Amino acid sequence: MRWTFRFALPALVLVVTLFTILYIKYDQIWDQYNAPAYAWASLQNTFLGSKLDNPPPVLEGKGKVEDKVVIMAKVESEDTEWVAKNLPDWQHAIYTVNPSTLTNDTLTTPLNKGHESMAYLTYIIDHYTSLPSTLAFIHPHESGFTDAWHTDTPLHSNTDALRSLRIPFVRKNGYVNLRCNWNPGCEYKHRKNAHITADVWKEVFAKASKSLFSGSKKVPEEVGAACCAQFAVSKDRVLERPKEDYEAFRQWVVDTDKSDAQSGRVLEFLWHVIFGMEAVQYVAIAPLLRG
């Protein structure tokens, strides 16, 4: 027993020390990925058979399609069948940005550039006169610790996020970011946003009918919003801008010398401004998700 204790205690100390070092070194990742909540929810689902979020049940295709749409961009290899299966009450517009073949059912974009922004803007432009009341713009991955870490549910599930979304709040507020964690994008140290320089701001809004600082050449000193280009907007908020504005934003993506990733990153931190919010957007989780 004494020998066991002698070995066990140093081993425990070593494990705790290593854990502490890793936590200190990677605390930002722990926070961004909400690792503790993910681990606990995974354990509950695996060993206790519980469903932490308790979302409404899947209707297996029997749900009535409502006046709301989910929009996303995907590469051809990504599986998005989960959308129709898990969100039967949502309309869906899924754009394949790199199709090898085209069918009558294939939605695609004019150019594979700007990450998800090209699909988002293309949907608005093509459906400007027939938009549903609520639009949710999300990524194609359903869930996953590494793929969907930016989704604010314990299991990083877009299914759970959209089932829990308070649609009346979206329609009242006009725009909501589906990520409530300020890290990354909205913490104080992130608001001197390297992607949104004065020149970039002026380029993006050069041909727009209005921006946050309409009629002024002043550029905000800080730009902050929770990452990562997943949000919901109301039809009324979209229509506050003319169609030509969205065409101008899309043309900026096409014309800019910035890469696919860089141009997408710029719009990632400007969607809230495009849809009428302050340059630094503060988010609280309570109004967004069902309690």
Side-chain angles (χ1 to χ4, degrees):
M1 181 65 71
R2 290 182 178 178
W3 283 103
T4 302
F5 181 76
R6 287 179 181 178
F7 282 107
L9 184 58
L12 179 60
V13 171
L14 178 61
V15 169
V16 171
T17 302
L18 289 174
F19 182 84
T20 303
I21 292 172
L22 289 173
Y23 180 79
I24 293 172
K25 183 175 178 60
Y26 297 107
D27 66 312
Q28 287 295 305
I29 294 178
W30 276 70
D31 181 47
Q32 290 175 15
Y33 282 54
N34 199 9
Y38 184 89
W40 176 237
S42 297
L43 287 172
Q44 285 183 296
N45 281 1
T46 301
F47 297 107
L48 302 178
S50 65
K51 192 66 177 176
L52 191 61
D53 286 342
N54 293 316
V58 177
L59 300 177
E60 297 297 344
K62 296 182 181 179
K64 179 181 178 181
V65 177
E66 299 178 5
D67 190 28
K68 54 187 182 181
V69 63
V70 56
I71 302 114
M72 64 179 64
K74 58 165 282 188
V75 295
E76 193 168 44
S77 60
E78 288 178 304
D79 181 5
T80 54
E81 292 184 3
W82 64 269
V83 179
K85 178 182 177 182
N86 296 350
L87 303 170
D89 54 333
W90 287 78
Q91 302 172 43
H92 49 86
I94 302 173
Y95 289 81
T96 303
V97 298
N98 63 338
S100 58
T101 58
L102 291 175
T103 68
N104 292 335
D105 296 329
T106 304
L107 294 178
T108 189
T109 53
L111 184 68
N112 182 10
K113 188 182 179 186
H115 278 195
E116 64 282 320
S117 67
M118 187 63 68
Y120 291 4
L121 291 167
T122 296
Y123 180 86
I124 292 174
I125 292 165
D126 290 350
H127 298 83
Y128 188 81
T129 59
S130 58
L131 295 170
S133 295
T134 304
L135 301 82
F137 298 87
I138 66 172
H139 295 174
H141 27 255
E142 178 186 8
S143 60
F145 184 70
T146 55
D147 288 339
W149 60 269
H150 41 265
T151 302
D152 269 350
T153 65
L155 290 173
H156 302 328
S157 167
N158 267 324
T159 292
D160 290 348
L162 287 190
R163 288 185 192 170
S164 301
L165 184 64
R166 293 182 183 271
I167 299 298
F169 180 78
V170 177
R171 294 176 182 171
K172 177 183 177 181
N173 203 58
Y175 169 93
V176 295
N177 193 324
L178 296 182
R179 180 171 173 83
C180 303
N181 187 338
W182 286 12
N183 185 16
C186 201
E187 291 190 340
Y188 294 106
K189 60 187 175 183
H190 299 152
R191 295 177 191 175
K192 295 292 184 180
N193 195 308
H195 301 284
I196 314 300
T197 64
D199 288 341
V200 167
W201 176 282
K202 292 174 183 177
E203 286 177 11
V204 171
F205 291 106
K207 296 182 180 179
S209 62
K210 65 174 184 176
S211 70
L212 184 66
F213 298 94
S214 181
S216 171
K217 294 183 179 180
K218 182 179 178 181
V219 177
E221 295 182 0
E222 295 182 338
V223 175
C227 81
C228 298
Q230 294 196 120
F231 55 91
V233 294
S234 68
K235 170 184 177 179
D236 291 343
R237 182 58 58 89
V238 174
L239 295 180
E240 287 184 9
R241 285 189 178 278
K243 178 181 177 181
E244 290 76 15
D245 278 15
Y246 301 106
E247 292 173 333
F249 297 142
R250 187 173 69 175
Q251 194 60 46
W252 175 83
V253 176
V254 172
D255 293 341
T256 182
D257 292 333
K258 294 184 180 296
S259 67
D260 170 36
Q262 291 171 335
S263 56
R265 192 75 70 193
V266 166
L267 289 187
E268 173 184 337
F269 290 110
L270 286 179
W271 288 119
H272 64 296
V273 178
I274 288 172
F275 291 112
M277 309 305 285
E278 297 290 332
V280 176
Q281 188 203 13
Y282 301 93
V283 183
I285 192 170
L288 304 185
L289 305 179
R290 291 190 180 97

